[in-house]
Amino acid sequence: MAPYLLLFFIFVTCGLVNMTRPRNSIRPVSERDTENAYKAAFKIESKETVERRKLISLLLVIALLIDMLLIVWIVRFA
């Protein structure tokens, strides 16, 4: 049971990291693409966006903990 919980935790952690990473993955092909990449890289995100991402991350962690507790409860009492 422990390996499955560990694998589930790794998947959820990777999902959180993927969700909260910057979306600026531009591969420049021309000079204009390079200029757009620099603009996107140094763009300041609004406080609302940062707060929304923090809230979503917190809710996902809480959901993960509840899910793990349910799995343990089902295995122990079933």
Side-chain angles (χ1 to χ4, degrees):
M1 185 69 189
Y4 294 113
L5 287 175
L6 181 64
L7 187 64
F8 180 74
F9 181 71
I10 289 172
F11 279 136
V12 170
T13 304
C14 290
L16 285 173
V17 169
N18 187 37
M19 185 192 73
T20 57
R21 71 174 172 79
R23 302 287 187 240
N24 305 327
S25 56
I26 302 171
R27 294 189 177 170
V29 177
S30 66
E31 187 66 32
R32 177 177 234 162
D33 288 340
T34 305
E35 184 179 326
N36 289 340
Y38 279 118
K39 285 181 183 177
F42 294 106
K43 183 175 70 172
I44 298 173
E45 292 184 350
S46 67
K47 286 185 178 181
E48 292 83 16
T49 304
V50 172
E51 290 297 323
R52 190 178 317 123
R53 285 185 180 176
K54 284 182 185 178
L55 179 64
I56 291 172
S57 298
L58 179 66
L59 291 175
L60 284 174
V61 168
I62 291 170
L64 169 68
L65 292 175
I66 291 171
D67 190 35
M68 289 174 66
L69 287 173
L70 284 173
I71 290 172
V72 169
W73 183 76
I74 289 170
V75 169
R76 178 176 282 179
F77 296 109

Coordinates of all heavy atoms in Angstrom, one line a residue:
M1 N 0.8 -1.2 0.0 CA 0.0 0.0 0.0 C 0.9 1.3 0.0 O 0.5 2.2 -0.7 CB -0.9 0.0 1.2 CG -1.9 1.1 1.3 SD -3.1 0.8 0.0 CE -3.9 2.3 0.1
A2 N 2.0 1.2 0.8 CA 2.8 2.4 0.8 C 3.4 2.8 -0.5 O 3.5 4.0 -0.8 CB 3.9 2.1 1.9
P3 N 3.8 1.9 -1.4 CA 4.3 2.3 -2.7 C 3.3 3.0 -3.5 O 3.6 4.0 -4.2 CB 4.8 1.0 -3.4 CG 5.0 0.0 -2.3 CD 4.1 0.4 -1.2
Y4 N 2.0 2.6 -3.4 CA 1.0 3.3 -4.2 C 0.8 4.7 -3.6 O 0.5 5.6 -4.4 CB -0.3 2.5 -4.1 CG -0.2 1.2 -4.8 CD1 -0.2 0.0 -4.1 CD2 0.0 1.1 -6.2 CE1 -0.1 -1.3 -4.8 CE2 0.1 -0.1 -6.9 CZ 0.0 -1.3 -6.2 OH 0.2 -2.5 -6.8
L5 N 0.8 4.9 -2.3 CA 0.6 6.2 -1.7 C 1.8 7.1 -2.1 O 1.6 8.3 -2.4 CB 0.5 6.1 -0.2 CG -0.8 5.5 0.3 CD1 -0.7 5.4 1.8 CD2 -2.0 6.4 -0.1
L6 N 3.0 6.5 -2.1 CA 4.2 7.3 -2.5 C 4.1 7.7 -4.0 O 4.3 8.9 -4.3 CB 5.4 6.5 -2.3 CG 6.7 7.2 -2.6 CD1 6.9 8.4 -1.7 CD2 7.9 6.2 -2.5
L7 N 3.7 6.8 -4.8 CA 3.5 7.1 -6.3 C 2.4 8.2 -6.5 O 2.6 9.2 -7.2 CB 3.2 5.9 -7.0 CG 3.1 6.0 -8.6 CD1 4.5 6.3 -9.1 CD2 2.6 4.7 -9.2
F8 N 1.3 8.1 -5.7 CA 0.3 9.1 -5.8 C 0.7 10.4 -5.4 O 0.5 11.5 -6.0 CB -0.9 8.6 -5.0 CG -2.1 9.5 -5.0 CD1 -2.9 9.6 -6.2 CD2 -2.4 10.3 -3.9 CE1 -4.0 10.5 -6.2 CE2 -3.5 11.2 -4.0 CZ -4.2 11.3 -5.1
F9 N 1.5 10.5 -4.3 CA 2.0 11.7 -3.8 C 3.0 12.4 -4.8 O 3.0 13.6 -5.0 CB 2.7 11.5 -2.4 CG 3.3 12.7 -1.8 CD1 2.5 13.7 -1.3 CD2 4.7 12.9 -1.8 CE1 3.0 14.8 -0.7 CE2 5.2 14.1 -1.3 CZ 4.4 15.0 -0.7
I10 N 3.8 11.5 -5.4 CA 4.8 12.1 -6.4 C 4.0 12.7 -7.6 O 4.3 13.8 -8.1 CB 5.7 11.0 -6.9 CG1 6.7 10.6 -5.8 CG2 6.5 11.4 -8.2 CD1 7.6 9.4 -6.1
F11 N 2.9 12.0 -8.1 CA 2.1 12.5 -9.2 C 1.5 13.8 -8.8 O 1.4 14.8 -9.6 CB 1.1 11.5 -9.6 CG 1.6 10.4 -10.5 CD1 1.2 9.1 -10.3 CD2 2.5 10.7 -11.5 CE1 1.7 8.1 -11.1 CE2 3.0 9.7 -12.4 CZ 2.6 8.4 -12.2
V12 N 0.9 13.9 -7.6 CA 0.2 15.2 -7.2 C 1.2 16.3 -7.0 O 1.0 17.4 -7.4 CB -0.6 14.9 -5.9 CG1 -1.1 16.2 -5.3 CG2 -1.7 14.0 -6.2
T13 N 2.4 16.0 -6.5 CA 3.5 17.0 -6.3 C 3.9 17.5 -7.7 O 4.0 18.7 -7.9 CB 4.7 16.4 -5.6 OG1 4.2 15.9 -4.3 CG2 5.7 17.5 -5.3
C14 N 4.1 16.6 -8.6 CA 4.5 17.0 -10.0 C 3.4 17.9 -10.6 O 3.7 18.8 -11.3 CB 4.8 15.8 -10.9 SG 6.3 15.0 -10.4
G15 N 2.1 17.5 -10.4 CA 1.0 18.3 -10.9 C 1.0 19.7 -10.3 O 0.8 20.7 -11.0
L16 N 1.3 19.8 -9.0 CA 1.3 21.1 -8.4 C 2.5 22.0 -8.9 O 2.3 23.2 -9.2 CB 1.5 21.0 -6.9 CG 0.3 20.6 -6.1 CD1 0.7 20.3 -4.6 CD2 -0.8 21.6 -6.2
V17 N 3.6 21.4 -9.1 CA 4.8 22.1 -9.7 C 4.5 22.5 -11.1 O 4.7 23.7 -11.5 CB 6.0 21.2 -9.6 CG1 7.2 21.9 -10.4 CG2 6.5 21.0 -8.2
N18 N 3.8 21.7 -11.9 CA 3.5 22.0 -13.2 C 2.5 23.1 -13.3 O 2.5 24.0 -14.2 CB 3.0 20.8 -14.0 CG 2.8 21.0 -15.4 OD1 3.6 21.7 -16.1 ND2 1.8 20.5 -16.0
M19 N 1.5 23.1 -12.3 CA 0.5 24.1 -12.4 C 1.0 25.5 -12.0 O 0.6 26.5 -12.5 CB -0.6 23.8 -11.4 CG -1.8 24.7 -11.4 SD -2.9 24.4 -10.0 CE -1.9 25.1 -8.7
T20 N 2.0 25.5 -11.0 CA 2.5 26.8 -10.5 C 3.7 27.4 -11.2 O 4.2 28.4 -10.9 CB 2.8 26.7 -9.0 OG1 3.7 25.7 -8.8 CG2 1.5 26.4 -8.2
R21 N 4.2 26.6 -12.2 CA 5.4 27.1 -12.9 C 5.0 28.3 -13.8 O 3.9 28.4 -14.3 CB 6.1 26.0 -13.7 CG 5.3 25.6 -14.9 CD 6.0 24.6 -15.7 NE 5.2 24.0 -16.8 CZ 4.9 24.7 -17.9 NH1 5.4 25.8 -18.1 NH2 4.1 24.1 -18.8
P22 N 6.0 29.1 -14.2 CA 5.7 30.2 -15.2 C 5.4 29.6 -16.5 O 5.9 28.5 -16.9 CB 7.0 30.9 -15.2 CG 7.8 30.6 -14.0 CD 7.3 29.2 -13.6
R23 N 4.6 30.2 -17.3 CA 4.1 29.7 -18.6 C 5.0 30.3 -19.7 O 4.5 30.3 -20.9 CB 2.7 30.1 -18.8 CG 1.7 29.6 -17.8 CD 1.5 28.1 -17.9 NE 0.5 27.7 -17.0 CZ 0.7 26.8 -16.0 NH1 1.8 26.3 -15.9 NH2 -0.3 26.4 -15.3
N24 N 6.2 30.7 -19.4 CA 7.0 31.4 -20.4 C 8.0 30.4 -21.0 O 9.2 30.5 -20.8 CB 7.7 32.6 -19.8 CG 6.8 33.6 -19.2 OD1 5.7 33.7 -19.6 ND2 7.2 34.2 -18.1
S25 N 7.5 29.5 -21.8 CA 8.4 28.5 -22.5 C 8.4 28.8 -24.0 O 7.8 28.1 -24.7 CB 8.0 27.1 -22.2 OG 6.7 26.9 -22.6
I26 N 9.1 29.9 -24.3 CA 9.1 30.3 -25.7 C 10.5 30.0 -26.3 O 11.5 30.4 -25.7 CB 8.8 31.8 -25.9 CG1 7.4 32.2 -25.3 CG2 8.9 32.3 -27.3 CD1 7.2 33.6 -25.1
R27 N 10.5 29.3 -27.4 CA 11.8 29.0 -28.1 C 11.9 30.1 -29.2 O 11.2 30.0 -30.2 CB 11.8 27.6 -28.6 CG 11.8 26.6 -27.5 CD 12.1 25.2 -28.1 NE 12.1 24.3 -26.9 CZ 12.1 23.0 -27.1 NH1 12.1 22.5 -28.3 NH2 12.2 22.3 -26.0
P28 N 12.9 31.0 -29.1 CA 13.0 32.0 -30.1 C 13.5 31.5 -31.4 O 14.4 30.7 -31.5 CB 14.0 33.0 -29.5 CG 14.7 32.3 -28.4 CD 13.8 31.2 -28.0
V29 N 12.8 31.9 -32.5 CA 13.2 31.6 -33.8 C 13.8 32.8 -34.6 O 14.8 32.7 -35.3 CB 12.0 30.9 -34.6 CG1 12.4 30.6 -36.0 CG2 11.5 29.7 -33.9
S30 N 13.1 33.9 -34.3 CA 13.6 35.1 -35.0 C 13.9 36.2 -33.9 O 13.7 36.0 -32.7 CB 12.5 35.6 -35.9 OG 11.4 36.0 -35.2
E31 N 14.3 37.3 -34.4 CA 14.6 38.5 -33.5 C 13.3 38.9 -32.7 O 13.4 39.2 -31.5 CB 15.2 39.6 -34.3 CG 15.7 40.8 -33.4 CD 16.9 40.4 -32.5 OE1 17.7 39.5 -33.0 OE2 17.0 40.9 -31.5
R32 N 12.2 38.9 -33.4 CA 11.0 39.3 -32.8 C 10.6 38.3 -31.7 O 10.1 38.7 -30.7 CB 9.9 39.4 -33.9 CG 8.5 39.7 -33.3 CD 7.5 39.9 -34.4 NE 6.9 41.2 -34.2 CZ 6.2 41.8 -35.1 NH1 6.1 41.3 -36.3 NH2 5.6 43.0 -34.8
D33 N 10.8 37.0 -32.0 CA 10.5 36.0 -30.9 C 11.3 36.2 -29.7 O 10.9 36.0 -28.6 CB 10.7 34.6 -31.5 CG 9.6 34.2 -32.5 OD1 8.5 34.8 -32.5 OD2 9.8 33.3 -33.3
T34 N 12.6 36.5 -29.9 CA 13.5 36.8 -28.8 C 13.0 38.0 -28.0 O 13.0 37.9 -26.8 CB 14.9 37.1 -29.3 OG1 15.3 36.0 -30.2 CG2 15.9 37.2 -28.2
E35 N 12.6 39.0 -28.7 CA 12.1 40.2 -28.0 C 10.9 39.9 -27.2 O 10.7 40.3 -26.0 CB 11.9 41.3 -29.0 CG 11.4 42.6 -28.4 CD 11.2 43.7 -29.4 OE1 11.9 43.7 -30.4 OE2 10.3 44.5 -29.2
N36 N 9.9 39.1 -27.8 CA 8.7 38.7 -27.1 C 9.0 37.9 -25.9 O 8.3 37.9 -24.9 CB 7.8 38.0 -28.1 CG 7.2 39.0 -29.1 OD1 7.1 40.2 -28.9 ND2 6.7 38.4 -30.2
A37 N 10.0 37.0 -26.0 CA 10.4 36.1 -24.9 C 10.9 36.9 -23.7 O 10.6 36.7 -22.6 CB 11.4 35.1 -25.4
Y38 N 11.7 38.0 -24.0 CA 12.2 38.8 -22.9 C 11.1 39.6 -22.3 O 11.0 39.7 -21.0 CB 13.3 39.8 -23.4 CG 14.6 39.2 -23.6 CD1 15.3 39.1 -24.8 CD2 15.3 38.7 -22.5 CE1 16.5 38.6 -25.0 CE2 16.6 38.2 -22.6 CZ 17.2 38.1 -23.9 OH 18.4 37.6 -24.0
K39 N 10.1 40.1 -23.0 CA 9.0 40.8 -22.5 C 8.2 39.8 -21.6 O 7.7 40.2 -20.5 CB 8.1 41.4 -23.6 CG 8.7 42.6 -24.2 CD 7.8 43.1 -25.3 CE 8.3 44.3 -26.0 NZ 7.5 44.7 -27.1
A40 N 8.0 38.6 -22.1 CA 7.2 37.7 -21.3 C 7.9 37.2 -20.0 O 7.3 37.0 -19.0 CB 6.8 36.5 -22.2
A41 N 9.2 37.1 -20.1 CA 10.0 36.6 -19.0 C 10.0 37.6 -17.8 O 10.0 37.2 -16.6 CB 11.4 36.3 -19.4
F42 N 10.0 38.9 -18.1 CA 10.0 39.9 -17.1 C 8.7 40.6 -16.8 O 8.6 41.6 -16.2 CB 11.1 40.9 -17.5 CG 12.5 40.4 -17.5 CD1 13.1 40.1 -18.7 CD2 13.1 40.0 -16.3 CE1 14.4 39.6 -18.7 CE2 14.4 39.5 -16.3 CZ 15.0 39.3 -17.5
K43 N 7.6 40.0 -17.3 CA 6.3 40.5 -17.0 C 5.9 40.2 -15.6 O 6.1 39.1 -15.0 CB 5.3 39.8 -17.9 CG 3.9 40.4 -17.8 CD 2.9 39.7 -18.8 CE 2.7 38.3 -18.5 NZ 1.7 37.7 -19.3
I44 N 5.4 41.2 -14.9 CA 5.0 41.1 -13.5 C 3.5 40.6 -13.5 O 2.7 41.2 -14.1 CB 5.1 42.5 -12.8 CG1 6.6 42.9 -12.8 CG2 4.6 42.4 -11.4 CD1 6.8 44.3 -12.3
E45 N 3.3 39.6 -12.7 CA 2.0 39.0 -12.6 C 1.2 39.8 -11.5 O 1.8 40.3 -10.6 CB 2.0 37.5 -12.2 CG 2.6 36.7 -13.4 CD 2.5 35.2 -13.0 OE1 2.2 34.9 -11.9 OE2 2.8 34.4 -13.9
S46 N -0.1 39.9 -11.7 CA -0.9 40.6 -10.7 C -1.0 39.8 -9.4 O -0.8 38.6 -9.4 CB -2.3 40.8 -11.3 OG -3.0 39.6 -11.4
K47 N -1.3 40.5 -8.4 CA -1.4 39.9 -7.0 C -2.6 38.9 -7.0 O -2.5 37.9 -6.3 CB -1.6 41.0 -6.0 CG -0.4 41.8 -5.6 CD -0.6 42.7 -4.5 CE 0.6 43.4 -4.1 NZ 0.4 44.4 -3.0
E48 N -3.6 39.2 -7.8 CA -4.8 38.3 -7.8 C -4.4 37.0 -8.4 O -4.8 35.9 -7.9 CB -5.9 38.9 -8.7 CG -6.5 40.1 -8.0 CD -5.8 41.4 -8.3 OE1 -4.9 41.4 -9.2 OE2 -6.0 42.4 -7.6
T49 N -3.5 37.0 -9.4 CA -3.1 35.7 -10.1 C -2.3 34.9 -9.1 O -2.4 33.7 -9.0 CB -2.3 36.0 -11.4 OG1 -3.1 36.8 -12.2 CG2 -1.9 34.7 -12.0
V50 N -1.3 35.6 -8.4 CA -0.5 34.9 -7.5 C -1.3 34.3 -6.3 O -1.1 33.2 -5.9 CB 0.6 35.9 -6.9 CG1 1.4 35.3 -5.8 CG2 1.5 36.3 -8.1
E51 N -2.2 35.1 -5.8 CA -3.1 34.6 -4.7 C -4.0 33.5 -5.1 O -4.2 32.5 -4.4 CB -4.0 35.8 -4.2 CG -3.2 36.9 -3.4 CD -2.5 36.3 -2.2 OE1 -3.1 35.5 -1.5 OE2 -1.4 36.8 -1.9
R52 N -4.5 33.5 -6.4 CA -5.3 32.5 -6.9 C -4.5 31.2 -7.0 O -5.0 30.1 -6.6 CB -5.9 32.8 -8.3 CG -6.9 31.9 -8.8 CD -7.5 32.3 -10.1 NE -7.8 33.7 -10.2 CZ -7.3 34.5 -11.1 NH1 -6.5 34.0 -12.1 NH2 -7.6 35.8 -11.2
R53 N -3.3 31.3 -7.5 CA -2.4 30.1 -7.6 C -2.1 29.5 -6.2 O -2.0 28.3 -6.0 CB -1.1 30.4 -8.4 CG -1.3 30.6 -9.8 CD 0.0 30.8 -10.6 NE -0.3 30.9 -12.0 CZ 0.7 31.2 -12.9 NH1 1.9 31.3 -12.5 NH2 0.4 31.3 -14.1
K54 N -1.8 30.4 -5.3 CA -1.5 29.9 -3.9 C -2.8 29.2 -3.3 O -2.6 28.1 -2.7 CB -1.2 31.1 -3.0 CG 0.2 31.6 -3.2 CD 0.5 32.7 -2.2 CE 1.8 33.4 -2.4 NZ 2.1 34.5 -1.5
L55 N -3.9 29.7 -3.5 CA -5.2 29.1 -3.0 C -5.4 27.8 -3.7 O -5.8 26.8 -3.0 CB -6.4 30.1 -3.2 CG -7.7 29.5 -2.8 CD1 -7.7 29.4 -1.3 CD2 -8.8 30.5 -3.2
I56 N -5.2 27.7 -5.0 CA -5.4 26.4 -5.7 C -4.4 25.4 -5.2 O -4.8 24.2 -5.0 CB -5.3 26.6 -7.2 CG1 -6.5 27.4 -7.7 CG2 -5.3 25.3 -7.9 CD1 -6.4 27.9 -9.1
S57 N -3.2 25.8 -5.0 CA -2.2 24.9 -4.5 C -2.6 24.4 -3.1 O -2.4 23.2 -2.8 CB -0.8 25.5 -4.4 OG -0.4 25.9 -5.7
L58 N -3.0 25.3 -2.2 CA -3.4 24.9 -0.9 C -4.6 23.9 -0.9 O -4.6 22.9 -0.2 CB -3.7 26.1 -0.1 CG -4.2 25.9 1.4 CD1 -3.1 25.3 2.2 CD2 -4.7 27.1 2.0
L59 N -5.6 24.2 -1.7 CA -6.7 23.3 -1.8 C -6.3 21.9 -2.4 O -6.9 20.9 -1.9 CB -7.8 24.0 -2.7 CG -8.5 25.2 -2.1 CD1 -9.4 25.8 -3.2 CD2 -9.2 24.8 -0.9
L60 N -5.4 21.9 -3.3 CA -5.0 20.6 -3.8 C -4.2 19.8 -2.8 O -4.4 18.6 -2.7 CB -4.1 20.8 -5.1 CG -4.8 21.1 -6.3 CD1 -3.8 21.5 -7.5 CD2 -5.7 20.0 -6.8
V61 N -3.4 20.5 -1.9 CA -2.7 19.8 -0.9 C -3.7 19.2 0.1 O -3.6 18.1 0.6 CB -1.7 20.7 -0.2 CG1 -1.1 20.1 1.1 CG2 -0.5 21.0 -1.2
I62 N -4.7 20.0 0.5 CA -5.8 19.6 1.4 C -6.5 18.4 0.8 O -6.8 17.4 1.5 CB -6.7 20.7 1.8 CG1 -6.0 21.8 2.6 CG2 -8.0 20.2 2.5 CD1 -6.8 23.0 2.8
A63 N -6.8 18.4 -0.5 CA -7.5 17.3 -1.1 C -6.6 16.1 -1.1 O -7.1 15.0 -0.9 CB -7.9 17.7 -2.5
L64 N -5.3 16.2 -1.3 CA -4.4 15.1 -1.3 C -4.4 14.5 0.1 O -4.5 13.2 0.2 CB -3.0 15.6 -1.6 CG -1.9 14.6 -1.4 CD1 -2.0 13.4 -2.4 CD2 -0.5 15.2 -1.5
L65 N -4.3 15.3 1.2 CA -4.3 14.7 2.5 C -5.6 14.0 2.8 O -5.6 12.9 3.4 CB -4.1 15.9 3.5 CG -2.7 16.5 3.5 CD1 -2.6 17.7 4.4 CD2 -1.6 15.5 3.8
I66 N -6.8 14.6 2.4 CA -8.0 13.9 2.7 C -8.1 12.6 1.9 O -8.6 11.6 2.4 CB -9.2 14.8 2.2 CG1 -9.3 16.0 3.2 CG2 -10.5 14.1 2.2 CD1 -10.3 17.1 2.8
D67 N -7.6 12.6 0.7 CA -7.6 11.4 -0.1 C -6.7 10.3 0.5 O -7.1 9.1 0.6 CB -7.1 11.7 -1.6 CG -7.3 10.5 -2.5 OD1 -8.3 9.8 -2.4 OD2 -6.5 10.3 -3.4
M68 N -5.6 10.7 1.0 CA -4.7 9.7 1.6 C -5.3 9.2 2.9 O -5.2 8.0 3.2 CB -3.3 10.3 1.9 CG -2.5 10.6 0.7 SD -1.0 11.5 1.0 CE -0.1 10.3 2.0
L69 N -6.0 10.0 3.7 CA -6.7 9.6 4.9 C -7.8 8.6 4.6 O -8.0 7.6 5.3 CB -7.2 10.8 5.7 CG -6.1 11.6 6.4 CD1 -6.8 12.8 7.0 CD2 -5.4 10.7 7.5
L70 N -8.5 8.9 3.5 CA -9.6 8.0 3.1 C -9.1 6.6 2.6 O -9.6 5.6 3.0 CB -10.4 8.6 1.9 CG -11.4 9.7 2.4 CD1 -12.0 10.3 1.1 CD2 -12.5 9.1 3.2
I71 N -8.0 6.6 1.9 CA -7.3 5.4 1.5 C -6.9 4.6 2.7 O -7.2 3.4 2.8 CB -6.2 5.6 0.5 CG1 -6.7 6.2 -0.8 CG2 -5.4 4.4 0.3 CD1 -5.6 6.6 -1.8
V72 N -6.3 5.2 3.6 CA -5.8 4.5 4.9 C -7.0 4.0 5.6 O -7.0 2.9 6.1 CB -4.9 5.5 5.7 CG1 -4.7 4.9 7.1 CG2 -3.6 5.7 5.0
W73 N -8.1 4.8 5.7 CA -9.3 4.4 6.5 C -9.9 3.2 5.8 O -10.3 2.3 6.5 CB -10.2 5.6 6.5 CG -11.5 5.3 7.3 CD1 -11.6 5.2 8.7 CD2 -12.8 5.0 6.8 NE1 -12.9 4.9 9.0 CE2 -13.6 4.8 7.9 CE3 -13.3 4.9 5.5 CZ2 -14.9 4.4 7.7 CZ3 -14.6 4.6 5.4 CH2 -15.4 4.4 6.5
I74 N -10.0 3.2 4.5 CA -10.6 2.1 3.8 C -9.8 0.8 3.9 O -10.4 -0.3 4.2 CB -10.8 2.4 2.3 CG1 -11.9 3.5 2.1 CG2 -11.1 1.2 1.4 CD1 -12.0 4.1 0.7
V75 N -8.5 0.9 3.8 CA -7.6 -0.3 4.0 C -7.7 -0.8 5.4 O -7.7 -2.0 5.6 CB -6.2 0.1 3.6 CG1 -5.2 -1.0 3.9 CG2 -6.1 0.4 2.1
R76 N -7.7 0.1 6.4 CA -7.7 -0.4 7.8 C -9.0 -1.0 8.2 O -9.0 -2.0 8.9 CB -7.4 0.8 8.7 CG -7.4 0.4 10.2 CD -7.0 1.6 11.0 NE -5.5 1.7 11.0 CZ -4.9 2.6 11.6 NH1 -5.5 3.5 12.4 NH2 -3.6 2.7 11.5
F77 N -10.1 -0.4 7.8 CA -11.4 -0.9 8.3 C -12.2 -1.7 7.3 O -13.3 -2.2 7.6 CB -12.3 0.3 8.8 CG -11.7 1.1 9.9 CD1 -11.1 2.3 9.7 CD2 -11.6 0.5 11.2 CE1 -10.6 3.0 10.8 CE2 -11.0 1.2 12.2 CZ -10.5 2.4 12.0
A78 N -11.7 -2.0 6.1 CA -12.4 -2.8 5.2 C -12.0 -4.2 5.3 O -11.0 -4.6 5.7 CB -12.2 -2.3 3.8

